[in-house]
Amino acid sequence: MGWELYVLKAVAVLLIFGGVLSVVPFLVFFERKISAFIQDRVGPNRVGLAGPDSLLEAFGFRKGTRRVLGGWLQPLADVIKLFTKEALIPAHADRPLYLLAPLFAVLPPLLAFVVIPVGQDIVVSSGVLVKLQVADLHVGILFVLAVASLSAYGLAFGGWASNSKFPLLGGVRAMAQMVSYEVGMVLVILALVMSYDSVSLRDMVSRQAAGGTLLGIWDCDGDWIWGWGLFHQPLAFVLFAICALAENNRLPFDLPECESELVGGYHTEYSSMGFGMFFQGEYIAMMAMGGLLATMFLGGWHYPGYAWLNASDSLLVHLLAALIGLAVFGVKMLGFVFFAMWVRWTLPRFRWDQLMRVGWKGIIPLALANLVLTAALNLPAPAPAHEKPDRNLTAVTRDR
Amino acid sequence: MATLIFWLVVLVTVASAIAVVTARNILHAAFSLCLTFLGVAATYIFLHADFVAAVQLIVYVGGILVLIMFAIMFSSNVVEDTAEGRRGLLALGAGAAGMAAVFAAVLLLTSRLAEPLKTANPCANVAYAATVSVEAGQTGIGHCLMGPYLLPFEVVSVLLLAALIGAVVIVRKEVR
């Protein structure tokens, strides 16, 4: 192994981390806009840009000109505000843990992105492969679960280190919620692993585009959407979406934050980028869950016509197919994020005991039933009839 | 480069493990324990045991440490360390750890598992492990658990069930 590999990997990691991090402020802006739309308000519409005139206007020098893209610079303003605010550390806080906790909120969801594939390998020339995934781990989905279990520590340590009542309660809630909902999530994923016959995320995606027999009765074409996990594991899809909301501490499961009871929950005592990192962590985790959902249930980067485009010999067409695939993956991922926002501004919050009941008496039994059903009926994902995918083939050949 | 990362991981693991036993604040100890678990998982990855590494994180970090944190957070007066005879306890722990280390060293140096360790390069075991296919390891574990070791596996799960029921019985309030 030479230095080049490390440099390449480092660049790939930086690219994906940078890409994810730069989307976050816009997600915050969209959240505000969507909440405004749902509540019949206008939302942020001031900080914008429309040529030199409006630049002046944006900084308050002129009034009365027409605003184009009003509000679109709001994310920038938010970021500047968070960065320049004074970072207060409460006198009674446990300094080292107080400072480390936000890191634990941001890093795990970012790490999850390392294994999520965003596109098929591109053969640039013979022997030169560009993988649209930082690391194709054999344990793919297990890795995601492992890092997901880390993310609750940020909230718990942050809550405890603040040394104040409300954050502590928020931290304890985060832990309890994580434990209850992770069990359900693992059971849901187990059923998927059984039906896809693999724990590698890349295998899962290519399996969904393989085509074959759906639910053992209906022949379907892999190039259309019927091979997607959504159709052969519909219950798992719904359960996973619910668990994903709970894992992300989003409404109606945002008990650790719960501003109506706990002021701000675990981040009550944080200001400036300490708070900013918790905030970022939440949105990154949402995107990571969206990416996982897209990978496991929505065919990853596949879209109708993908195989047709890829059948061409031209490298340019392949690149185009991959590019559209990337965009499609982004749309699927952000689709879940939109769903999460939509739910947040629509449903009220669960009470603590209701949350636990939903987790332990609703999701876990259903997920177990789904698992047992999948095992008993041995319903694999659609695959070409009488032909199990050969494990020795590389992802490239299997995908074609 | 791999060697460098390996030693970095070793450093973090050992340092945080020492911090677990020496930290005066019990939550700092819990935090260090989290780092230790992460370091051990990284060591598994260096041994090309990806599956074991992931399971290590899911079970220890995602399960056991969470329960420890629960216990700590719900009992407010255990946070600050007031233990008397702390030095004696530390000595006792150090003695036990030393004995375990000697035992492990003897075991390693006399068994054939240690062959790759005896070469000068500490990363030689990485090269050795690389000869074993990762995926084969993963499916191998599955086959072993469902094949020759099915009975022990089931017995262990019964034991865990018994522990679970025991915990429920202890915690349960008397209802008449």
Side-chain angles (χ1 to χ4, degrees):
Chain A
M1 265 192 245
W3 283 91
E4 305 92 340
L5 186 73
Y6 289 97
V7 173
L8 270 178
K9 286 288 176 198
V11 168
V13 168
L14 283 181
L15 266 180
I16 208 132
F17 281 14
V20 168
L21 282 173
S22 55
V23 174
V24 170
F26 289 94
L27 286 183
V28 177
F29 171 63
F30 286 131
E31 170 119 50
R32 294 175 66 177
K33 271 292 189 194
I34 288 166
S35 73
F37 171 71
I38 289 175
Q39 298 176 339
D40 204 12
R41 295 184 283 116
V42 178
N45 69 343
R46 296 285 135 172
V47 194
L49 190 65
D53 268 11
S54 308
L55 190 64
L56 294 175
E57 182 208 3
F59 291 99
F61 292 119
R62 273 178 64 163
K63 282 180 182 168
T65 39
R66 193 171 61 91
R67 286 191 184 84
V68 181
L69 289 184
W72 280 77
L73 283 186
Q74 188 66 43
L76 192 68
D78 287 348
V79 169
I80 291 172
K81 186 198 82 175
L82 278 176
F83 267 111
T84 51
K85 232 174 143 175
E86 183 186 358
L88 286 170
I89 301 177
H92 296 288
D94 187 310
R95 242 184 117 89
L97 278 185
Y98 181 87
L99 292 176
L100 273 172
L103 212 65
F104 260 68
V106 175
L107 273 184
L110 270 180
L111 278 178
F113 270 99
V114 167
V115 292
I116 295 177
V118 294
Q120 191 185 316
D121 301 349
I122 304 169
V123 189
V124 177
S125 64
S126 63
V128 184
L129 267 179
V130 177
K131 274 200 168 186
L132 293 180
Q133 179 182 22
V134 178
D136 183 12
L137 298 184
H138 291 282
V139 290
I141 188 77
L142 293 178
F143 176 81
V144 176
L145 285 175
V147 293
S149 63
L150 272 177
S151 56
Y153 285 99
L155 315 194
F157 282 125
W160 186 85
S162 303
N163 203 359
S164 129
K165 289 187 193 70
F166 294 124
L168 182 65
L169 281 172
V172 172
R173 283 178 172 191
M175 286 255 135
Q177 184 171 327
M178 199 269 280
V179 174
S180 342
Y181 280 85
E182 203 155 69
V183 175
M185 193 167 204
V186 168
L187 288 172
V188 167
I189 288 176
L190 261 181
L192 281 173
V193 167
M194 266 153 84
S195 92
Y196 288 135
D197 208 10
S198 170
V199 288
S200 152
L201 288 169
R202 183 164 283 269
D203 284 358
M204 287 186 177
V205 173
S206 42
R207 192 69 191 274
Q208 288 176 65
T213 318
L214 184 67
L215 297 174
I217 31 174
W218 183 26
D219 282 321
C220 65
D221 183 3
D223 198 25
W224 192 231
I225 62 172
W226 304 114
W228 293 0
L230 171 63
F231 296 102
H232 64 86
Q233 286 279 350
L235 182 60
F237 177 72
V238 175
L239 290 178
F240 183 84
I242 296 172
C243 286
L245 288 180
E247 280 277 309
N248 290 347
N249 301 318
R250 292 284 298 182
L251 254 155
F253 302 100
D254 76 334
L255 271 287
E257 198 173 333
C258 194
E259 66 271 13
S260 54
E261 297 168 17
L262 300 184
V263 191
Y266 57 90
H267 62 59
T268 306
E269 303 285 350
Y270 280 88
S271 63
S272 180
M273 271 320 275
F275 165 75
M277 278 165 88
F278 277 122
F279 205 46
Q280 266 182 337
E282 182 178 328
Y283 282 88
I284 299 168
M286 257 205 290
M287 277 198 281
M289 280 299 163
L292 214 56
L293 195 88
T295 305
M296 294 195 304
F297 293 100
L298 302 176
W301 61 85
H302 285 285
Y303 49 91
Y306 180 78
W308 177 75
L309 272 178
N310 247 4
S312 144
D313 289 329
S314 154
L315 175 65
L316 219 63
V317 180
H318 279 251
L319 283 178
L320 182 74
L323 217 66
I324 300 177
L326 198 66
V328 164
F329 181 81
V331 167
K332 286 171 181 170
M333 185 173 81
L334 295 180
F336 172 75
V337 177
F338 171 73
F339 169 74
M341 291 173 180
W342 185 10
V343 168
R344 172 172 179 184
W345 297 101
T346 309
L347 294 181
R349 181 181 294 123
F350 280 125
R351 220 170 48 219
W352 181 237
D353 57 320
Q354 290 170 332
L355 176 96
M356 283 297 154
R357 194 178 314 140
V358 168
W360 289 98
K361 292 185 175 172
I363 288 177
I364 291 177
L366 278 175
L368 260 177
N370 187 46
L371 181 67
V372 170
L373 211 69
T374 312
L377 302 180
N378 191 13
L379 286 181
H386 311 299
E387 187 188 313
K388 278 191 84 172
D390 189 348
R391 281 179 179 275
N392 295 325
L393 291 181
T394 61
V396 189
T397 44
R398 206 184 300 160
D399 243 315
R400 293 271 161 83
Chain B
M1 189 73 179
T3 322
L4 194 74
I5 296 174
F6 174 75
W7 284 113
L8 217 69
V9 166
V10 168
L11 190 74
V12 169
T13 314
V14 173
S16 58
I18 291 171
V20 173
V21 285
T22 54
R24 297 209 153 253
N25 182 323
I26 197 162
L27 221 86
H28 288 179
F31 182 77
S32 312
L33 192 61
C34 183
L35 284 185
T36 313
F37 286 150
L38 286 176
V40 171
T43 317
Y44 283 138
I45 289 173
F46 267 99
L47 293 169
H48 283 241
D50 296 16
F51 179 73
V52 185
V55 170
Q56 154 88 12
L57 281 184
I58 293 172
V59 172
Y60 282 93
V61 179
I64 288 170
L65 194 55
V66 170
L67 293 183
I68 293 177
M69 294 275 295
F70 258 134
I72 295 171
M73 283 175 142
F74 277 123
S75 42
S76 53
N77 42 8
V78 301
V79 164
E80 280 305 323
D81 169 35
T82 54
E84 316 213 325
R86 180 187 163 85
R87 195 160 294 169
L89 277 177
L90 268 180
L92 201 69
M99 267 166 71
V102 169
F103 183 64
V106 169
L107 205 68
L108 274 177
L109 292 176
T110 53
S111 83
R112 69 188 172 81
L113 278 175
E115 286 309 315
L117 283 175
K118 284 181 183 163
T119 51
N121 184 357
C123 275
N125 50 1
V126 172
Y128 165 73
T131 56
V132 188
S133 156
V134 173
E135 201 156 357
Q138 202 166 303
T139 46
I141 289 172
H143 281 299
C144 280
L145 282 183
M146 287 292 125
Y149 298 102
L150 184 60
L151 189 67
F153 180 67
E154 292 297 334
V155 170
V156 166
S157 62
V158 171
L159 180 75
L160 286 178
L161 185 68
L164 208 69
I165 294 174
V168 170
V169 168
I170 290 171
V171 170
R172 210 168 75 116
K173 282 194 195 115
E174 208 61 44
V175 184
R176 288 276 152 154

